[in-house]
Amino acid sequence: MVDFKGVRNNKGHDQRLLEAATTKSGGLQLPPFHHQRLLEAATTKSGGLHLPPFHYQQLLEAATTKSGGLQFPPFHHQHQRLLETSTTKSGGLQLPPFHHHHYHYHQQLFSCKVIKIFILLFTISTYCLVLYCHSNTYPLESFPNSYNSFSSFSQDFRQGNILPSTSKKQSKLKQVLKEAAMADKTVIITTLNAAWTAPNSIFDLFLESFRIGNNTNSLLNHVLVVALDQTAYSRCLEIHSHCYALITNGVDFSGEAHFMSDDYLKMMWRRIDFLRIVLEMGYNFIFTDADILWFRRPFAHFYSHADFQIACDHYVHNSFNLKNAPNGGFKYVKSNNQTIQFYKFWYDSRKIYPEKHDQDVLNIIKFHPFLKKIKLKIMFLDTAYFGGFCEPSKDVNLVCTMYANCCVGLGNKIHDLKMAINDWKNYMALPSGETISKRHTWTVPRICGLKFIKNHFSSHVIEKQSLDRVSNSTNKTS
């Protein structure tokens, strides 16, 4: 072993040797016969370099490149040993205090840069996450869907149903759906405005049909009434358990929406978008217009393998036939990817057919290849069980629902629906044996029906033609 004391005390020899061994390139250049002696002599038992204080800075500056690493010529194999012996047991270099400060300064600089980069990335990620969550929130309560078709809610009802926070709105809808749902997450949904919820109007007849129907009273526990205005919502709270307010800012749905008017079309399309949100929340639904009377439970007549099944204005005696004339007032829809995509497609199709209501658009898109692409199973319900004024059920023994279709005008609907309820009451008053042995029919429609529709629309066509003739003659004279 080399005599450490002799080497360390000879300061002049150390200085000359270190200066001679240091090149301009910053690496230690040692003569081959000296590098072993210098390394061993300058190394203490603790493993740290012990050089005269005068030489610390010169040695470190000379041996350090711009990148901050020690440079040793390739032919000096002892550079590994120098690094090993100059490292403490804790794995760090033993440097004088002067150089510790320099090292920690660069370390702090590096740490600050890392922190700044992290804060920048975190801020960007948070902003993107907020945008993503905002675009994918259930927008139904504010009622633009993913297509941003309607403006958001601006009113906060005193009852607390319409809430300023989007998350609270979502929670309210989820809450009422959960409370109204059956065990299999199926909800019966209807929509109403002020005109239809007035006393002795459509809503009262709708609720009465459940109470006098055959084993249908308990189904009222699963009926969710979606009110389209404040008056309808308040009226619903007075007489029913499950109510939800769905208001469109700047649109007044409280009055009677005349068939094919602008308000009527907005109301119909808003309904489609609401039902899409229900599906996305994982709930199946039976949608029923409020001018449909429920006399029997319909579940036995639904098709278990169908995704989307709908009642008809006219049934061609084949549940698969797309030539059936569907009626959007009554449908049973399961919540799955197919139906969610279909409802988005259906709603978006309003842009292609801007002057048509949802039912007319459905009659067009039911042939579209997109339905085959998403593998939607669509079926049509028999009017023998799900009849209406367009095509009444021929046997009261079979009927589940009676719909006031092929009828325009609130007063006309109320008149014939009351007659249908009287027919049902008379039927239920018969002895049980007589109700089964005989085939019973309806006395309705009296005002409504196909004849009424033909006369109604033909008169409108004649009126329009007369107005056109008057307008043309006026233009000619002027």
Side-chain angles (χ1 to χ4, degrees), residues 148-166:
N148 297 319
S149 57
F150 290 101
S151 61
S152 63
F153 279 112
S154 62
Q155 290 179 306
D156 184 5
F157 285 153
R158 288 174 296 173
Q159 289 83 350
N161 202 9
I162 304 295
L163 300 171
S165 170
T166 301

Side-chain angles (χ1 to χ4, degrees), residues 256-269:
E256 181 181 357
H258 296 286
F259 185 70
M260 292 307 293
S261 65
D262 287 342
D263 282 349
Y264 175 86
L265 293 175
K266 289 177 183 178
M267 191 185 297
M268 295 302 102
W269 285 115

Side-chain angles (χ1 to χ4, degrees), residues 353-368:
Y353 310 101
E355 296 183 357
K356 294 185 179 295
H357 61 75
D358 59 317
Q359 186 172 305
D360 286 342
V361 173
L362 174 61
N363 245 332
I364 298 171
I365 66 172
K366 67 184 180 183
F367 298 103
H368 199 282

Side-chain angles (χ1 to χ4, degrees), residues 8 10 40 66 102 141 170 258 368 373 378 396 409 475-476:
R8 284 206 280 296
N10 190 354
E40 292 180 353
K66 294 180 180 180
H102 184 71
E141 295 83 304
Q170 295 173 9
H258 296 286
H368 199 282
K373 182 179 179 181
I378 181 170
V396 181
N475 291 334
K476 288 179 182 179

Side-chain angles (χ1 to χ4, degrees), residues 9 23 28 46 202 253 281 287 334 365 370 424 441 475:
N9 291 334
T23 65
L28 292 176
S46 63
I202 296 289
F253 286 145
M281 287 187 171
F287 179 81
K334 295 178 182 177
I365 66 172
F370 180 73
W424 178 259
T441 58
N475 291 334

